Amino acid sequence: MRRLRLSEATLTQARRGAARPGYVRGACRVGWVHFGPGAFHRAHQAYYADRLLERDPRWAISAVSLRSAGAREALSRQDYLYCLAELGGAPQVRIIGALREILAAPADRDAVLARLEAPETRIVTLTVTEKGYCLGPDGQLDPRHPDIAHDLGSAAPARSPIGFLAEGLWRRREHGHTPFAVVSCDNLPDNGPTLRAAVAAFAARRDRPFARWIESEVAFPRTMVDSITPATDAELIERVAEASGLEDAWPVQRERFTQWVIEDLPEVRVADWASVGVTLAADVSVYDRAKLRLVNGAHSTLAYIGLLRGRSTVAEAMRDAPLARFLERLMREDIAPSLHGPGRPELSAYIDATLERLRNPSVRHRLAQIAWDGSKKLPVRLLSTMSEALAAGRPIERLALPIAAWLRFVVACARAGEALTDPAAERLLALGRACTDEPERDVARFLTLEDTFAPRMAAEPAFVRALVNAYRALGPGGAIPAAQGGGA
Ligand code: CS2
């Protein structure tokens, strides 16, 4: 059956199965700019904006795509409306109206800068993934990164979010406008200060007082964002079409659970965040570390070991008893001791809730999606826990298993001639092809990846030993040693 396409004109025809925006879109104003309108943004921050708009018309979003114009192509034809399906129990569908436009840089550079310059823009958020920050292995801005080099060398920065932010802030300072708050929503530890240092480093190349102004006058709150968001598939497109009676080219989905914690700074309090369930907290690091290490650390563990064991989704990997047992021990015995702040009972409840989310059968989250960008994700998710465990004299054998599984995964991709989505893909595949299944040699090859393995750690005999043993134990099929939870 041919259905009408979702748009402003057809919105009133949406069936009851899909909730419509509870406000008049035409009366809303853009006060929020977002870089990276992928599925996570549309399922998470735009959902909160949608709810803010019910009581305050200032928070419509102007989104900026830096990589692909795909989202703009799909959504411009439906007036930037799209469906969000909340999974679990009876799925609920909500039509989100918070996006006003999607600009595609570099073509729309001037329009992006006009939005950044406008006094009414008070919030700028980013979901550009770990690699979008253009950082070197030391966590500082990498001036040789091609996008940064381009933006530094040009009077018209238009490739990196860092270049755009610096130019936008420069213009606001020139005009005496209050700076916007810059809210990184990516899975980086200390995401706010990390981004501030990167923008200030970029700005310092232009003008040192400007860089100092950024450091002292612009708010870069830390944040923790959490909601599991599987990629859109044909089944979702069909499901939302049935619920709404309208065709949506690019709906998004996420689990019902969603959390957003933002550092409580005066510049952030421009919106009534509490009214839509966002937590403002003096110290975000407690939430942030627990989430990155337990939720994302668990995800990467399931992804690499699970793929070796022939599993394809998170829920399927959680039904693999030895793997699920291994994961639970890793979380409780190896990761939890690295978290300071929350007390034991709270941590234990957080782990219970996380395991429950991972088991959720209504969330079809592909392991291959999580396996992307391992070279950037693993240092944050598991290697930092490992290096602290080493320093504190705690065991690292279990923590070594998901890292070794990543190496095995890369080798398997290289041998099968499969593509790898990772900023270091070329180098990884070359290393993978050179591997010979001799654990010492294979591991030594990968340890030359300085962006992932800090040289001090790669030279630590206990670390190398643990990795070699784990690599051997796993074999190509992802066997889990009985002592670590595996076995029948
Ligand atoms: C996942 C995250 O793809 C991944 O690497 O671990 O996207 C994860 O689903 C979110 O961070 C959950 O909040």
Side-chain angles (χ1 to χ4, degrees):
M1 188 185 73
R2 249 197 96 59
R3 298 187 176 95
L4 291 173
R5 177 104 178 223
L6 171 66
S7 73
E8 222 23 273
T10 59
L11 195 52
T12 52
Q13 298 176 46
R15 285 200 198 122
R16 277 167 180 274
R20 288 186 231 150
Y23 50 88
V24 180
R25 285 184 90 212
C28 297
R29 304 189 295 278
V30 171
W32 180 334
V33 172
H34 179 80
F35 287 91
F40 187 73
H41 166 68
R42 294 202 278 127
H44 188 273
Q45 300 98 56
Y47 156 81
Y48 289 100
D50 202 59
R51 295 189 46 208
L52 280 176
L53 286 168
E54 287 170 5
R55 41 191 96 203
D56 182 346
R58 292 177 300 157
W59 304 114
I61 298 176
S62 167
V64 184
S65 247
L66 293 162
R67 293 273 163 259
S68 94
R72 183 172 69 167
E73 268 158 37
L75 297 186
S76 60
R77 294 177 48 217
Q78 45 195 63
D79 301 322
Y80 302 99
L81 290 161
Y82 61 90
C83 294
L84 164 65
E86 289 189 356
L87 309 169
Q92 288 181 10
V93 176
R94 185 182 170 106
I95 301 174
I96 303 285
L99 287 192
R100 165 63 53 84
E101 63 192 5
I102 299 183
L103 303 171
D108 296 329
R109 172 181 180 274
D110 293 342
V112 176
L113 288 171
R115 286 291 186 202
L116 291 175
E117 197 181 320
E120 52 276 15
T121 297
R122 302 302 297 277
I123 304 281
V124 177
T125 48
L126 296 90
T127 49
V128 293
T129 78
E130 295 83 345
K131 61 187 172 212
Y133 290 79
C134 311
L135 306 176
D138 56 356
Q140 308 291 319
L141 183 73
D142 177 5
R144 288 161 318 173
H145 187 289
D147 293 348
I148 297 297
H150 170 274
D151 284 359
L152 281 172
S154 139
R159 289 217 184 142
S160 68
I162 311 289
F164 269 116
L165 288 170
E167 180 64 25
L169 287 166
W170 174 268
R171 293 182 181 199
R172 289 181 90 92
R173 182 166 164 259
E174 293 280 286
H175 293 107
H177 298 335
T178 312
F180 41 69
V182 191
V183 189
S184 161
C185 301
D186 280 296
N187 287 323
L188 294 172
D190 293 328
N191 48 13
T194 302
L195 179 56
R196 176 175 46 214
V199 178
F202 186 97
R205 305 260 171 159
R206 181 168 190 176
D207 181 272
R208 290 205 166 268
F210 173 46
R212 280 197 294 275
W213 178 83
I214 290 180
E215 274 160 355
S216 61
E217 301 301 318
V218 184
F220 286 83
R222 290 175 167 83
T223 54
M224 186 274 256
V225 290
D226 194 7
S227 192
I228 291 171
T229 310
T232 301
D233 53 18
E235 197 183 314
L236 174 69
I237 294 182
E238 188 46 40
R239 184 189 304 160
V240 302
E242 259 163 40
S244 68
L246 298 169
E247 186 194 311
D248 176 352
W250 203 339
V252 292
Q253 57 184 339
R254 64 159 163 76
E255 62 177 334
R256 188 150 299 159
F257 173 88
T258 174
Q259 193 177 17
W260 193 1
V261 184
I262 311 180
E263 189 177 359
D264 187 8
L265 301 177
E267 295 82 349
V268 170
R269 291 187 215 126
V270 286
D272 186 1
W273 297 107
S275 69
V276 295
V278 176
T279 307
L280 295 188
D283 182 5
V284 174
S285 64
V286 177
Y287 295 92
D288 175 39
R289 281 169 64 104
K291 192 267 172 169
L292 293 175
R293 294 183 175 198
L294 287 168
V295 180
N296 297 112
H299 257 165
S300 293
T301 301
L302 290 173
Y304 298 122
I305 305 182
L307 286 168
L308 293 179
R309 293 167 70 84
R311 314 291 168 215
S312 64
T313 66
V314 171
E316 218 179 286
M318 289 296 288
R319 285 196 296 272
D320 176 341
L323 176 51
R325 261 199 315 270
F326 169 80
L327 178 73
E328 184 163 353
R329 286 190 68 181
L330 181 81
M331 291 166 82
R332 295 196 195 279
E333 295 174 34
D334 302 276
I335 303 179
S338 78
L339 299 168
H340 320 287
R344 286 248 145 228
E346 278 156 282
L347 257 183
S348 177
Y350 187 73
I351 293 173
D352 291 344
T354 303
L355 289 167
E356 195 57 42
R357 290 167 64 197
L358 298 173
R359 281 192 285 261
N360 187 346
S362 31
V363 177
R364 265 190 54 79
H365 197 189
R366 288 175 54 248
L367 298 174
Q369 180 188 341
I370 301 168
W372 288 7
D373 294 348
S375 72
K376 288 281 181 199
K377 288 175 174 173
L378 289 176
V380 173
R381 299 175 173 207
L382 290 157
L383 286 166
S384 50
T385 311
M386 222 171 152
S387 99
E388 285 172 24
L390 257 178
R394 288 193 299 268
I396 56 166
E397 282 66 30
R398 249 189 309 265
L399 286 160
L401 213 70
I403 307 293
W406 174 56
L407 308 187
R408 289 275 185 194
F409 163 78
V410 171
V411 173
C413 289
R415 290 194 179 148
E418 278 170 22
L420 201 63
T421 303
D422 194 296
E426 229 173 283
R427 177 132 182 247
L428 286 170
L429 290 172
L431 289 170
R433 279 191 296 271
C435 285
T436 51
D437 283 330
E438 294 159 286
E440 279 85 3
R441 287 178 176 224
D442 289 1
V443 166
R445 281 194 180 89
F446 282 108
L447 289 179
T448 60
L449 288 164
E450 290 190 1
D451 274 13
T452 302
F453 299 107
R456 252 203 17 231
M457 199 158 166
E460 174 64 56
F463 174 70
V464 180
R465 207 167 37 243
L467 212 50
V468 167
N469 287 341
Y471 187 89
R472 181 179 297 112
L474 277 169
I480 299 172
Q484 297 182 359

